[in-house]
Amino acid sequence: MSTPIKRLEIIKNAIELEDDDIIQSQLLRLKSEAFNDELLVIVAALEEKNYTTAMAAIAAWLQSQRAVTQWRDPQVAASKLELKALEERLRDLIDRRNARVQQLDEFNDLYLTRLGPLMTHILELRKSLAELNLRRQLAESRRREEDYRRCQQYMAQAVEVLTTLTQRWRDLPADAIESAQARKHVQQQSDLIANLLAEAQELENGLTREEEPARQARDEANDEYEKYREQQHDAEIRLRKGKQLSEDDQAELKRLWRQASKLCHPDLVADEMKEEANAMMVQLNQAKHRGDVKAIRSLVARLHQGFEPVMASDRLNDLERIRKKMVQVREQIDTLVSELAELEREESWLLVSSQVNMDAWFTQQEKALNEVRTALERQVSDAQLDAVA
């Protein structure tokens, strides 16, 4: 009801301004909104440019409607329109982020499939090298422990000898010729014990300190290897499923996924629909992972049927709630702008967005990784020889 009222008010003002362009543009819309005979009479008069009759009919109809139409705060309409513009910007930013994330995911999958086996071998060599280094450190620790125990034994024996020498020195008369020689032997034995104590202290400090970093490096190398193998395996599955689709189906999968993401993203739907939107996003991402075009088509159809309209601007009519939602959407926009700026500064995005010849880049990377692999193979071989020696 409110739309024809507003449109006729515009037409009435346009007649008073003698602006036929405005009249004709609003008339096209009014024709599709005319729901009774009185409006159809006004439409006919305007089409015939019988503006005197049209003006009288418009004034009479507007007067009749004011008696039955509930007043609406113009601030609500203005705020709803502003909120809708903010939501559209948020939707565009989400779509932009999704497009970049999708592009990065595709690049990562391509990287994992083209260079994954070589990189896996490199990580396996690093894991082997870390294991060999840990074994060397453990062997060194065992040697230090043996040296420490021997040092303790030598020191105990030296203390016994010192006790005997000291007693012998004390038993000699102070003016005896042998007393000076005995005192010299006591001093030499004391110096020996001091040296053994210093050596024991050094061995004790190195018993655990050198082993722990090697153990940590080994564990990190193992974790990195296992995580990379899992990523490569998942990428190979996705690529294999992608190859089962035609180029048209692959393009449709991407297009429908982005379309569905804009319809059911939790940041876009009204508050009462967020839980359902989260569940549908999970289904959507799972279908994308499977390469299931039919499932995504079905989801898009369900979204159009059940999630329209989805934006708060289509549902809210309370001015306070609308303004509160505007603040929330502005915060989401600021967050997304920051995320996009950060993403576009990342090395991976700069690489993906700037590469003209990706095949040449992969060839160059393969050459560099082969050099790394060769160097690691040499290090592992040397470490194995050291272990045998």
Side-chain angles (χ1 to χ4, degrees):
M1 179 73 75
S2 61
T3 302
I5 291 174
K6 292 177 181 178
R7 203 167 307 286
L8 285 173
E9 286 176 342
I10 293 172
I11 292 173
K12 179 175 175 291
N13 291 332
I15 293 173
E16 293 175 353
L17 291 170
E18 300 178 7
D19 193 326
D20 192 56
D21 290 339
I22 295 177
I23 296 171
Q24 296 305 316
S25 67
Q26 294 299 318
L27 176 59
L28 291 173
R29 295 175 174 83
L30 181 63
K31 288 174 66 176
S32 63
E33 297 165 356
F35 55 84
N36 60 27
D37 292 341
E38 292 174 319
L39 288 174
L40 291 174
V41 168
I42 294 172
V43 168
L46 290 170
E47 287 182 329
E48 294 172 4
K49 298 192 175 184
N50 190 346
Y51 294 133
T52 302
T53 302
M55 191 67 161
I58 290 171
W61 192 84
L62 288 175
Q63 185 63 35
S64 68
Q65 294 304 312
R66 288 192 181 100
V68 297
T69 303
Q70 185 178 4
W71 178 83
R72 186 184 184 194
D73 187 350
Q75 284 294 320
V76 172
S79 296
K80 281 172 70 74
L81 187 61
E82 186 174 349
L83 176 57
K84 186 180 289 292
L86 289 170
E87 288 171 329
E88 287 297 338
R89 187 181 177 202
L90 178 61
R91 173 175 281 178
D92 290 341
L93 286 169
I94 288 174
D95 185 49
R96 184 176 163 191
R97 180 188 62 187
N98 287 344
R100 279 155 174 69
V101 169
Q102 189 174 55
Q103 193 172 349
L104 283 171
D105 287 344
E106 290 171 359
F107 171 77
N108 289 334
D109 283 352
L110 184 60
Y111 183 96
L112 287 166
T113 51
R114 288 196 58 167
L115 300 178
L118 181 55
M119 193 65 198
T120 300
H121 189 196
I122 287 173
L123 292 175
E124 188 175 17
L125 288 168
R126 287 177 178 169
K127 184 179 76 164
S128 299
L129 190 61
E131 181 66 36
L132 288 167
N133 185 50
L134 176 60
R135 290 179 186 176
R136 183 180 62 79
Q137 291 291 349
L138 289 171
E140 179 67 17
S141 295
R142 286 192 295 270
R143 183 189 65 77
R144 284 178 172 272
E145 288 175 1
E146 292 172 0
D147 290 345
Y148 182 67
R149 284 194 296 271
R150 281 195 296 269
C151 186
Q152 286 179 317
Q153 292 172 358
Y154 293 155
M155 191 159 52
Q157 293 170 1
V159 169
E160 290 179 3
V161 171
L162 178 61
T163 302
T164 301
L165 290 172
T166 301
Q167 188 60 48
R168 183 182 302 167
W169 174 48
R170 287 175 178 174
D171 291 340
L172 292 171
D175 56 352
I177 298 175
E178 295 85 354
S179 179
Q181 188 65 30
R183 183 174 58 78
K184 181 179 179 181
H185 289 161
V186 169
Q187 184 61 50
Q188 289 174 343
Q189 195 67 17
S190 296
D191 292 342
L192 174 62
I193 291 172
N195 290 334
L196 288 171
L197 278 171
E199 183 178 351
Q201 182 66 47
E202 182 181 351
L203 290 169
E204 187 177 347
N205 291 339
L207 286 178
T208 57
R209 187 174 57 197
E210 295 183 3
E211 173 189 335
E212 194 55 36
R215 192 184 303 277
Q216 184 178 351
R218 189 275 311 270
D219 292 343
E220 290 175 355
N222 285 341
D223 289 344
E224 189 176 6
Y225 173 74
E226 293 301 330
K227 287 178 182 177
Y228 195 86
R229 276 213 322 172
E230 184 177 348
Q231 291 173 359
Q232 184 190 356
H233 175 71
D234 292 344
E236 288 173 349
I237 291 176
R238 286 192 293 271
L239 190 67
R240 186 162 59 248
K241 288 179 179 178
K243 287 181 178 178
Q244 294 172 357
L245 299 174
S246 67
E247 289 186 6
D248 289 343
D249 283 343
Q250 290 182 40
E252 185 180 10
L253 180 71
K254 296 176 186 178
R255 179 181 62 78
L256 288 176
W257 179 79
R258 286 181 61 182
Q259 181 182 350
S261 296
K262 290 198 293 183
L263 290 173
C264 72
H265 196 284
D267 287 345
L268 291 170
V269 301
D271 292 342
E272 64 270 21
M273 305 177 76
K274 285 189 181 296
E275 186 175 348
E276 188 176 355
N278 276 312
M280 295 197 80
M281 276 299 297
V282 170
Q283 295 177 44
L284 177 64
N285 288 329
Q286 289 174 343
K288 179 191 175 189
H289 182 74
R290 296 193 307 269
D292 193 340
V293 181
K294 290 182 179 179
I296 294 185
R297 284 197 200 109
S298 176
L299 280 168
V300 171
R302 285 170 55 195
L303 286 167
H304 280 302
Q305 292 170 6
F307 270 82
E308 293 288 352
V310 297
M311 291 186 173
S313 56
D314 294 316
R315 292 178 176 269
L316 298 179
N317 290 295
D318 179 76
L319 184 58
E320 183 178 351
R321 292 183 64 194
I322 292 171
R323 288 175 173 172
K324 183 177 179 181
K325 187 65 177 178
M326 287 166 63
V327 172
Q328 179 184 341
V329 174
R330 284 193 179 98
E331 290 175 352
Q332 291 173 316
I333 287 172
D334 290 342
T335 299
L336 267 176
V337 168
S338 298
E339 286 181 8
L340 278 167
E342 185 176 349
L343 182 149
E344 291 172 358
R345 286 193 298 267
E346 289 181 3
E347 185 178 350
S348 55
W349 173 253
L350 293 173
L351 171 65
V352 171
S353 59
S354 63
Q355 283 298 323
V356 177
N357 189 339
M358 196 61 75
D359 284 335
W361 184 85
F362 274 113
T363 300
Q364 181 182 8
Q365 292 300 305
E366 187 174 12
K367 180 181 178 181
L369 288 175
N370 273 316
E371 292 175 356
V372 172
R373 181 189 61 182
T374 301
L376 283 170
E377 287 173 341
R378 190 180 304 113
Q379 292 177 43
V380 169
S381 178
D382 291 344
Q384 288 172 337
L385 290 174
D386 288 343
V388 172

